[in-house]
Amino acid sequence: MITPHPVRRSIVGFFAASISLSMAEPVKAYPIDCAILLCLAGGFPASAECSAAKVEMIRRITPFPIEPPLQLWNCPMGGGAGGAAVAGLASFVPDGLTPEVRQYRDGIELYHIRHYSSRRNQDGSYSVQDITEAGTYDAGGDFHWSPASFEHGPAWLSGAVGGRREPVEQCVSTSSDGTCRRYETIGYTNVYGSEGIGGFTGTGSFTPSRLRGVAIRYLDYQGNEHAEFVSY
């Protein structure tokens, strides 16, 4: 969790005191990724500049193609007069980022749900298809995709898509006739859809619940989670 820190406060202070003045200059003088970083740190507060920054971030994750939402290689981190350098976020380490800026970057989680469907069979079991990948930044700041799962993804993902979390139970005690006497919750799974949607219709046909889109989660300087979902 991100906790208050003088540098984080400087981000918000810089944003409040300087971003409107900087944005009064030609747009090319203030790279959009610097604005995304600063506005993300503040939870995208209401302003024309932060609205434009958020629109650009959402555009990048809207298929197709899906781009890294925050591209810090386009935001000057050195000793120049613009962007994060003005905010006091420059660093002399090889990648030019302070630990605080890395936390904002690494606090971004991106899930591309290429295809998810769930249907309840006549016998009460479920058939699930889940083709999902996660986008993350490595230690060097490069963005990569890797195999993932909506069903077994983090809790925030279910809320972002309008789904829910359901317990996974396991029988821990059986009677002499083999029936289960006691279940215990061993975990949780993400579910999309509800009974009657994606379930057996009773007429020999099945109506699956389907989901497809891109979800993003990011953290502000207080550690608050924010999530967005773009369906397609």
Side-chain angles (χ1 to χ4, degrees), residues 15-203:
F15 169 80
S18 305
I19 194 170
S20 61
L21 296 177
S22 298
M23 286 301 183
E25 301 174 2
V27 174
K28 65 180 180 180
Y30 201 93
I32 189 65
D33 282 279
C34 298
I36 292 175
L37 170 62
L38 295 168
C39 295
L40 181 150
F44 287 99
S47 73
E49 296 78 25
C50 283
S51 293
K54 188 173 185 179
V55 165
E56 173 60 17
M57 186 181 75
I58 298 301
R59 182 202 66 77
R60 290 176 178 179
I61 67 168
T62 301
F64 282 99
I66 301 173
E67 305 173 38
L70 179 62
Q71 301 173 13
L72 288 176
W73 49 88
N74 293 324
C75 179
M77 292 284 177
V86 178
L89 303 178
S91 172
F92 293 103
V93 296
D95 66 2
L97 303 181
T98 65
E100 290 75 24
V101 172
R102 288 194 200 93
Q103 286 189 74
Y104 291 116
R105 180 196 68 193
D106 298 342
I108 295 173
E109 294 185 9
L110 196 67
Y111 279 80
H112 180 196
I113 305 166
R114 291 184 173 272
H115 175 81
Y116 171 85
S117 65
S118 173
R119 70 179 187 183
R120 183 164 55 88
N121 302 317
Q122 191 171 11
D123 62 2
S125 64
Y126 282 83
S127 297
V128 176
Q129 289 185 314
D130 186 352
I131 304 173
T132 301
E133 55 188 0
T136 55
Y137 295 91
D138 64 21
D142 293 324
F143 187 80
H144 302 279
W145 291 103
S146 60
S149 169
F150 165 75
E151 188 176 21
H152 303 295
W156 70 263
L157 187 56
S158 63
V161 306
R164 65 190 186 280
R165 296 277 280 180
E166 287 191 352
V168 177
E169 297 183 330
Q170 177 176 285
C171 181
V172 296
S173 177
T174 58
S175 60
S176 58
D177 63 0
T179 59
C180 186
R181 295 188 303 180
R182 185 166 63 91
Y183 289 90
E184 284 188 358
T185 299
I186 60 172
Y188 290 86
T189 183
N190 292 333
V191 176
Y192 181 77
S194 59
E195 289 189 9
I197 303 175
F200 181 64
T201 64
T203 60

